[in-house]
Amino acid sequence: MSLLDLLNHLLNFVAPALVVGFLCALAGRVFGRRAAGAPALWIQGAVNFGVGVLVLLGGLVFSGRDGAMLTYAALVVACATSQWTVSKSWKK
């Protein structure tokens, strides 16, 4: 496998975490109220992205393959929980 192929595989692996992470941050901004001291949108998205990548890696280790539906369900739940935590929504 060439370096370009490896990079393509890695980017395709983390793409769902990137999309879900930043969509959760955007949805939190649109549908939620801004709490005092909540970080900027890009920071919330970056934290959600990091959590999402960890969930995808855990799903890969647990199921032995990429793209399991259980992993994607866990990705959505983990990113939503991360967004709830990072945006300080429990303080409302």
Side-chain angles (χ1 to χ4, degrees):
M1 180 182 307
S2 70
L3 182 62
L4 193 57
D5 288 336
L6 179 65
L7 182 63
N8 185 28
H9 282 285
L10 288 176
L11 288 176
N12 285 324
F13 178 73
V14 299
L18 181 70
V19 171
V20 171
F22 278 94
L23 282 179
C24 279
L26 186 62
R29 179 67 54 103
V30 170
F31 295 114
R33 291 183 295 169
R34 287 193 52 141
L41 179 68
W42 70 272
I43 294 174
Q44 292 177 13
V47 169
N48 294 340
F49 171 67
V51 168
V53 169
L54 290 176
V55 168
L56 289 176
L57 284 172
L60 179 63
V61 169
F62 179 74
S63 68
R65 63 184 179 92
D66 179 30
M69 290 306 292
L70 183 63
T71 303
Y72 290 143
L75 171 68
V76 170
V77 170
C79 282
T81 304
S82 171
Q83 178 60 33
W84 178 75
T85 304
V86 133
S87 65
K88 301 181 180 180
S89 293
W90 73 90
K91 291 186 176 185
K92 293 180 183 179

